[in-house]
Amino acid sequence: MSMNRRRFINLSGLGITGFTISGFTNPSHVMDQKPIVISTWDAGLNANKGAWEVLSKGGTALDAVEKGVMVTEDEISCCVGLGANPDRDGHVTLDASIMDHEFNCGSVAFLERIKHPISVARKVMEKTPHVMLVGEGAQQFAIAEGFTLESEKLSDDAQNAYQNWLKKSTYKPIINIERSNKPNAQLEDKYKAPTRFDNGDWNHDTIGMVALDMHGNLSGSCTTSGAGFKMRGRVGDSPIIGAGLFVDNEVGAVVATGQGEDVIRVAGASAVVEYMRQGKSPQEACKLVVEKIRRIKKEKAAAIQVCFIALNKKGEHGSFALHNGFNYAVQSEQGSNLIESPFSV
Ligand code: ASP
């Protein structure tokens, strides 16, 4: 994912920001856009393609959000899949969740050596009476369901990032803030966080995806290795239904990325859905929850990133982030688009 992000930043250096891949715009206010899929970060552009193969053929949102994020789990990136940044003991531990249009949901956390945690989460949803399996139990379940135990192998990027981190081994469980797509000198000065890019590597990301299919049903998914160099056993927001992901088919679907602890403490994705139920647009709803986190964190908000993307029942979408630098990908019949998110500070 970091490589994708860098590619985008290079494009933005050429003055191409918020660009439209297909030449069509994909405005968030267009109603009755279905099918449609949106996902976090620029890795979402590829992930959306995987989802679109399902949606464009009349497939379900549930199948689309699983297939879509599997594309990112297969890619080499800093923060998703088996080659991602490890925990501070050097092991990659993965979190994932999935939710459909009928409040069925499944998740896995602290899962090791399984390539597609999102598919294990779906099996938890469909084959067990439970919502969440963790650690060794989740791995045992995956093996029983026919998943292969992979050998642990960090990607070169993750290995380098980990070796860099080991030099100091300082445990700062703070999610870095991305480089701005539109550099803003004032903002850079004012919000220089102490941990910001202390070694130039991204220390977090999640591919989160929500989709509305042609039948009018919503579903969502997310998958991540969580915060790089985290404490062993740390679980973020992504596998917590209501925090990192929430879907209410009457209203909308939401996923989060950024500092998971601060998403969990406000039941983030669920809170965004509730604001949409009250009539807020997806962007306004995301903004209200981000602003709440900012109020709670006070001056500490300067050092963390939190972002939400939301899609409502009409196919309207929006996002909001605490800081500059977040973007999300949209795919519909209008084309494919990467949108820079509005932000708070
Ligand atoms: N939310 C993820 C976590 O805290 C990380 C991220 O999305 O950036 O595990």
Side-chain angles (χ1 to χ4, degrees), residues 171-176 193-195 203-204 227-228 259 300 303-305:
Y171 183 57
K172 296 183 196 163
I174 297 178
I175 291 291
N176 66 243
T195 54
N203 71 0
H204 74 104
Q259 183 86 23
K300 290 186 189 150
I304 58 159
Q305 177 65 299

Side-chain angles (χ1 to χ4, degrees), residues 41 95 175 204-206 224 226-227 234 236-238 256-261:
W41 305 112
D95 297 342
I175 291 291
H204 74 104
D205 266 358
T206 293
T224 185
R234 180 265 189 187
D237 57 318
S238 304
T257 178
Q259 183 86 23
E261 286 75 5

Side-chain angles (χ1 to χ4, degrees), residues 2 80 84 86 91 103 111 142 210 264-266 270 305:
S2 56
V80 176
H91 303 289
F103 293 97
L111 177 63
V210 288
I264 293 171
R265 73 178 97 249
V266 298
S270 163
Q305 177 65 299

Side-chain angles (χ1 to χ4, degrees), residues 1-8 19 37-51 67-80 204-209 223 326-330 336-339:
M1 190 169 314
S2 56
M3 282 163 60
N4 287 344
R5 185 98 54 87
R6 283 181 191 123
R7 193 193 62 215
F8 176 69
F19 62 95
V37 56
I38 67 172
S39 53
T40 53
W41 305 112
D42 51 2
L45 290 167
N46 268 347
N48 284 356
K49 279 189 208 155
K67 292 284 168 316
V69 301
M70 283 172 78
V71 170
T72 318
E73 287 178 341
D74 273 330
E75 285 171 352
I76 295 178
S77 78
C78 73
C79 314
V80 176
H204 74 104
D205 266 358
T206 293
I207 180 76
M209 175 179 280
T223 177
F326 175 57
N327 48 36
Y328 71 103
V330 182
S336 171
N337 199 5
L338 188 66
I339 295 179

Side-chain angles (χ1 to χ4, degrees), residues 180-317:
S180 166
N181 294 332
K182 283 184 183 159
N184 171 333
Q186 232 180 345
L187 185 123
E188 292 287 320
D189 285 349
K190 191 167 171 195
Y191 295 105
K192 217 176 207 164
T195 54
R196 193 168 183 167
F197 289 104
D198 45 6
N199 59 15
D201 293 303
W202 274 277
N203 71 0
H204 74 104
D205 266 358
T206 293
I207 180 76
M209 175 179 280
V210 288
L212 177 67
D213 62 30
M214 66 181 292
H215 317 288
N217 289 322
L218 291 157
S219 290
S221 63
C222 52
T223 177
T224 185
S225 62
F229 328 122
K230 61 195 173 185
M231 267 180 88
R232 185 139 180 84
R234 180 265 189 187
V235 170
D237 57 318
S238 304
I240 311 288
I241 299 297
L245 169 68
F246 198 63
V247 179
D248 182 331
N249 203 44
E250 282 181 2
V251 179
V254 177
V255 277
T257 178
Q259 183 86 23
E261 286 75 5
D262 294 308
V263 174
I264 293 171
R265 73 178 97 249
V266 298
S270 163
V272 175
V273 167
E274 290 313 309
Y275 280 124
M276 289 198 285
R277 193 191 310 283
Q278 292 166 22
K280 301 292 181 202
S281 71
Q283 182 183 315
E284 286 165 346
C286 293
K287 181 176 181 189
L288 282 163
V289 180
V290 167
E291 293 294 352
K292 181 174 181 175
I293 294 170
R294 193 162 68 88
R295 285 196 303 277
I296 292 169
K297 296 299 286 183
K298 302 192 181 82
E299 65 282 359
K300 290 186 189 150
I304 58 159
Q305 177 65 299
V306 176
C307 328
F308 293 99
I309 62 170
L311 177 66
N312 70 16
K313 198 65 184 162
K314 294 181 239 166
E316 297 167 312
H317 53 87

